[in-house]
Every structure is written in structure tokens, then in C-alpha cells.
Amino acid sequence: RVVDTLLDWQKISITGNPTVTDINFQDYKNGFITSAAGISRSSDSGKTWTHIYSKSGGFDNFFPLSATAFFVNNATSLGYSFDGGIIWAEASNNSTFAGMDLVFTSPSTGYITSTSGLQRTTDTGKTWKNVLPKYTNGIWLFNTGKGICYTTDSFKTTTDGINWAQGYNISLGNPVQTFYTMFFSDNNHGWICAMEKIGKTAD
């Protein structure tokens, strides 16, 4: 039995009962989820979901660049839609990056973290270049050209993700945490998701 400690939450069912991996809402009604089955969308605040794109193995992350440009990824491929999620396409598979987290700064330029390093594309995922040859997971780029990427230490950029220098260590206390993804609401306030913990920064 699940005890609802958040009071007004309601459990819903999704057709096929897929493992949900990420969620994003553009407003209080319209949102998307990635799952082991692909991509689903809701137009009623998440009460019901419609499966809109199937993918063997599914997708792990959802990144909205704008109100109409969306990106998803799994360990080997990148998916995208430039019409608000109606039509989806996939870039060529890339088995070398084992993609974990992703962020895009334009329809063509984006980054995916991986076990072999931070990968950068300038052609919407057709080709990738390693710009930080370290195990990376969790990345965020600001519209100022600055950004942060988590490795075993954190790294920061001031050149739109091309060049990186070591930044501040990230610690949420013992034991040492494995970080997965980051989100910032402005240039100072952000959150990082770790195994068993969530961290918040205001600086």
C-alpha cells in the first residue's frame, strides 16, 4: 500500500503501463512523458495520456528548447520535433556516446553527457564531437553562454559549451552521490537530482 504523504496527489494509469523516465509540461494542461515505450502527451493536466511516438527501448530524457522545439534521447539516439510534438524524427544512431542527459541551445546545437565525455552536435545530432573527455552526467547551459556540467568534479563554461574549466565541487554530504540531471529557473537558482537526494543552489 502506498501512503500518500503529499495529500492531494492521485495515482493514474498509462496505457501499457510503461516505465516513465522523464516528464515536462509547457503549461498546466499540456505535457509530455518519455518512457520505455516512447513518447506520450497529455492535454488535461496529466489525467489521461495518448501515446504519440513508439521507440524500441524508449527514451530517457525530454528537453524543451521552446514552445515548439523538443528533444529526447536514449543511450544511442536523439529524437526531435519542431512542430510542438506532432511529428517526430530521429538522428542517426550514435552508439559511442551512451547518452544520459541532454540540453540544446538552438535547433541545431546541443550537448549530451555520457560515460566517454560530453558530446556536442551542431547539425541536430547527425554528427557529434567530444568537447570534455570525462565521465559526464547532468548539464545546464544558460542563455548568457555560461553553463555547468557535472563530472567527478563540476566543470563550468563561459564559451557556449565549447571550452570547459573546473568549477566548484558538488557535495550533498555522505555518501558520495551519483548525479543525474540539472534544472535552473534562472542564472542562480537550480536543482540537481542525485540518487536518494535532491540538491538546490541559490548562487
Side-chain angles (χ1 to χ4, degrees):
R1 179 175 179 268
V2 178
V3 179
D4 180 11
T5 57
L6 299 178
L7 300 179
D8 293 330
W9 288 79
Q10 297 178 3
K11 186 177 180 179
I12 61 160
S13 61
I14 301 175
T15 302
N17 193 30
T19 300
V20 176
T21 53
D22 202 2
I23 186 169
N24 180 269
F25 271 76
Q26 285 71 58
D27 53 48
Y28 76 97
K29 282 189 174 182
N30 299 287
F32 296 84
I33 57 172
T34 55
S35 73
I39 306 169
S40 299
R41 76 182 305 165
S42 173
S43 58
D44 57 5
S45 304
K47 296 181 181 68
T48 59
W49 294 87
T50 301
H51 191 71
I52 59 172
Y53 189 81
S54 296
K55 171 71 174 177
S56 177
F59 292 105
D60 300 321
N61 301 292
F62 188 101
F63 180 81
L65 176 64
S66 66
T68 57
F70 309 136
F71 296 88
V72 293
N73 78 293
N74 61 20
T76 60
S77 62
L78 174 80
Y80 53 89
S81 172
F82 294 143
D83 60 2
I86 298 173
I87 298 175
W88 290 84
E90 289 187 50
S92 299
N93 284 358
N94 186 336
S95 60
T96 62
F97 63 61
M100 298 178 184
D101 196 14
L102 82 161
V103 61
F104 269 72
T105 57
S106 75
S108 59
T109 302
Y111 303 80
I112 286 183
T113 61
S114 76
T115 55
S116 60
L118 180 64
Q119 309 291 322
R120 180 176 188 259
T121 181
T122 56
D123 53 13
T124 316
K126 295 181 180 67
T127 59
W128 297 87
K129 179 181 178 181
N130 194 319
V131 294
L132 181 57
K134 280 177 166 283
Y135 179 103
T136 55
N137 204 356
I139 182 173
W140 191 266
L141 291 174
F142 305 99
N143 56 17
T144 58
K146 297 180 179 181
I148 183 172
C149 179
Y150 173 75
T151 64
T152 49
D153 305 307
S154 70
F155 276 72
K156 60 182 180 180
T157 180
T158 55
T159 55
D160 292 315
I162 299 173
N163 298 309
W164 294 82
Q166 188 167 343
Y168 299 103
N169 290 335
I170 300 175
S171 175
L172 298 182
N174 292 326
V176 175
Q177 295 293 309
T178 299
F179 296 109
Y180 295 110
T181 188
M182 284 186 279
F183 174 83
F184 279 78
S185 58
D186 56 39
N187 288 346
N188 289 310
H189 297 85
W191 294 261
I192 190 167
C193 178
M195 185 176 292
E196 300 178 354
K197 292 184 179 181
I198 296 176
K200 182 180 180 181
T201 181
D203 58 4

